[in-house]
Amino acid sequence: VVLVSGSGGGAALAADHLDAAGLRLAKLSDTTGERIRAVLPEIGEVTNPIDVTGAVFYDPSIMGRLLDAVASDSSRPIIAAAVNAVPAPHDRMRRIAGAIGGAARSSGNTIVTYQVSPLGPLDGELVASLHDAQVPLLMGTASAMGALKHLPRYRAMAAETRVTAERAKAPPLDDWSFMSLRDALIGNSVPVVDAALISSEQEAIAAFRSFGR
């Protein structure tokens, strides 16, 4: 995981919660480090967590360019970027959210956002811009870092869903009998109950016993 924040203290806190959740900070390549260095202001340091510094609030493009640099790493790390989604009288955070969404679309990497506080209210337009880019907003640093550990399982489930969808594209059945349909469901990894065709009392008894009852 790569943590990105506009606050060094907030990034360190997130790293502590990440460790408590059993996850590790990603080690980025030297090439990626140079790309990050080229984006950060002079006061910024190439570390993970990454403190993007307060400059991002005045130039949101820094966030987009930074995320593009991190996403270019061959390890394709999960990126968690801190945002403040509370409604504000200016559009700085909306512009930062837009930059995060743009990086998610262009890179195809897994990027999530999190807000330090688990409490609202939230800026609906900001949240919508993130969701439009398939970027979730997680509430509360501790809860967000804990949720990240479930991403690998989610990825596996999503991959299995795609495989199942491909299997479901089988040619239409010619035989629409109950047992044929049941076999088709089994062939497409759909769970079904035990079943058997019965034509006599003896077969019924044998089937009953075979079902483990």
Side-chain angles (χ1 to χ4, degrees), residues 123-150:
D123 182 334
E125 184 176 329
L126 184 154
V127 175
S129 70
L130 292 172
H131 287 184
D132 286 346
Q134 303 298 306
V135 176
L137 171 62
L138 306 177
M139 300 296 291
T141 303
S143 297
M145 298 304 107
L148 291 182
K149 68 182 178 182
H150 299 294

Side-chain angles (χ1 to χ4, degrees), residues 98-124:
I100 294 172
R105 291 188 183 93
S106 62
S107 69
N109 276 39
T110 300
I111 299 179
V112 303
T113 57
Y114 67 94
Q115 177 170 279
V116 173
S117 172
L119 306 177
L122 299 177
D123 182 334

Side-chain angles (χ1 to χ4, degrees), residues 163-205:
V163 171
T164 301
E166 289 298 318
R167 292 172 179 166
K169 296 179 181 178
L173 291 172
D174 293 327
D175 182 0
W176 285 83
S177 66
F178 172 79
M179 294 303 290
S180 293
L181 290 174
R182 180 177 179 276
D183 290 341
L185 290 172
I186 294 173
N188 285 282
S189 302
V190 178
V192 297
V193 298
D194 291 333
L197 287 178
I198 304 301
S199 59
S200 68
E201 180 179 349
Q202 290 73 21
E203 289 180 357
I205 295 172

Side-chain angles (χ1 to χ4, degrees), residues 9-122:
L13 178 63
D16 288 342
H17 285 301
L18 190 74
D19 181 67
L23 297 175
R24 295 180 298 172
L25 291 169
K27 180 175 176 57
L28 301 174
S29 70
D30 292 340
T31 300
T32 302
E34 290 303 315
R35 290 174 178 170
I36 294 173
R37 192 183 309 279
V39 173
L40 289 177
E42 292 184 3
I43 60 173
E45 296 184 7
V46 181
T47 58
N48 183 17
I50 301 174
D51 178 4
V52 73
T53 79
V56 72
F57 298 107
Y58 302 95
D59 183 6
S61 70
I62 293 175
M63 179 65 81
R65 289 181 283 126
L66 173 68
L67 296 182
D68 285 339
V70 175
S72 70
D73 195 82
S74 59
S75 66
R76 295 184 64 80
I78 297 169
I79 303 172
V83 299
N84 184 1
V86 175
H90 51 75
D91 66 348
R92 291 173 186 167
M93 283 308 308
R94 289 180 181 178
R95 293 167 62 196
I96 292 173
I100 294 172
R105 291 188 183 93
S106 62
S107 69
N109 276 39
T110 300
I111 299 179
V112 303
T113 57
Y114 67 94
Q115 177 170 279
V116 173
S117 172
L119 306 177
L122 299 177

